């Protein structure tokens, strides 16, 4: 009986180690499952984010990513429009609820609310005491339950955001 427990314990170690190396970058990008690549189109600009099979983001211009012990990204640096931007993430229940970007010495925080399907319902940004809310509506989902199209309104302008998602088999 003792040998059986030892064998089970030895078999469990690789699975425990594998679970500890799981990254949640897919969730930080508003998706779930074995995502390989997300190609987004917002206002005519294409953005590509690749993921390893473990869920770690591989994005052009991203450096210095810091993760907690559970594999949730806490911070990273990004090159956005030829500017280095420091990004910090706040997580609750496996979802990003706030993201703070420090650009040119100024912090800009985006807070996110989610709908009943777990997709973002709205983002709100506070800049110099003014709150700007961006609602998301009219979602379309793929066979994996991830959104591939949604409408939004920003500063009175209606727009559609689309994305294509590739999955690992």
């Amino acid at each position: 009986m003792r040998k059986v427990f030892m064998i089970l314990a030895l078999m469990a170690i690789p699975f425990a180690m594998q679970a500890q190396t799981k990254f949640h970058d897919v969730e930080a990008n508003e998706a779930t499952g074995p995502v390989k690549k997300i190609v987004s189109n917002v206002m005519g600009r294409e953005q590509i984010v690749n993921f390893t099979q473990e869920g770690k983001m591989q994005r052009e211009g991203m450096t210095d990513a810091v993760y907690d012990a559970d594999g949730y990204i806490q911070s990273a640096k990004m090159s956005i429009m030829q500017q280095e931007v420091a990004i910090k993430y706040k997580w609750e229940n496996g979802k990003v609820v706030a993201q703070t970007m420090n650009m040119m010495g100024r912090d800009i925080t985006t807070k996110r609310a989610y709908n009943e399907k777990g997709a973002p319902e709205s983002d709100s940004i506070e800049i110099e005491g003014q709150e700007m809310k961006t609602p998301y509506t009219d979602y379309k989902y793929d066979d994996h339950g991830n959104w591939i199209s949604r409408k939004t309104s920003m500063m009175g302008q209606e727009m559609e955001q689309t994305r294509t998602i590739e999955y690992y088999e």
Side-chain angles (χ1 to χ4, degrees):
M1 191 66 150
R2 197 170 173 184
K3 282 185 180 180
V4 172
F5 284 120
M6 288 291 283
I7 291 170
L8 288 173
L10 288 171
M11 288 174 57
I13 288 172
F15 292 109
M17 288 172 61
Q18 182 179 14
Q20 290 172 357
T21 60
K22 168 82 170 105
F23 296 95
H24 297 279
D25 293 354
V26 171
E27 289 87 348
N29 285 273
E30 303 172 12
T32 60
V35 175
K36 183 176 188 178
K37 180 182 193 178
I38 298 175
V39 179
S40 302
N41 188 331
V42 180
M43 294 172 42
R45 279 190 28 213
E46 186 175 271
Q47 179 182 358
I48 299 170
V49 183
N50 294 296
F51 301 90
T52 66
Q53 286 188 308
E54 294 79 28
K56 189 170 187 180
M57 188 175 5
Q58 297 176 322
R59 186 172 175 177
E60 187 177 331
M62 185 176 131
T63 61
D64 300 334
V66 175
Y67 294 86
D68 68 9
D70 296 318
Y72 289 94
I73 190 165
Q74 299 299 299
S75 64
K77 290 183 181 168
M78 290 287 300
S79 177
I80 299 174
M81 297 189 310
Q82 301 172 345
Q83 296 287 323
E84 184 176 90
V85 178
I87 303 171
K88 292 182 181 176
Y89 299 87
K90 181 179 178 188
W91 293 82
E92 287 180 12
N93 302 318
K95 301 261 186 208
V96 174
V97 294
Q99 178 179 309
T100 301
M101 294 195 302
N102 184 291
M103 185 179 254
M104 297 187 292
R106 299 183 83 175
D107 280 346
I108 300 171
T109 298
T110 302
K111 295 179 182 172
R112 180 166 292 146
Y114 292 89
N115 67 19
E116 67 282 349
K117 284 192 157 207
E121 182 175 71
S122 66
D123 285 340
S124 61
I125 301 172
E126 188 175 315
I127 303 173
E128 297 180 359
Q130 295 287 324
E131 183 179 90
M132 183 172 67
K133 193 168 188 174
T134 305
Y136 300 109
T137 61
D138 298 329
Y139 276 93
K140 292 183 177 97
Y141 296 89
D142 67 10
D143 292 341
H144 294 266
N146 289 313
W147 73 266
I148 54 172
S149 173
R150 67 184 180 189
K151 292 185 179 170
T152 188
S153 170
M154 185 181 287
M155 296 169 34
Q157 184 179 354
E158 298 277 325
M159 65 184 90
E160 182 178 15
Q161 298 175 328
T162 61
R163 64 186 191 172
T164 305
I165 302 174
E166 289 180 33
Y167 296 89
Y168 287 103
E169 305 228 357

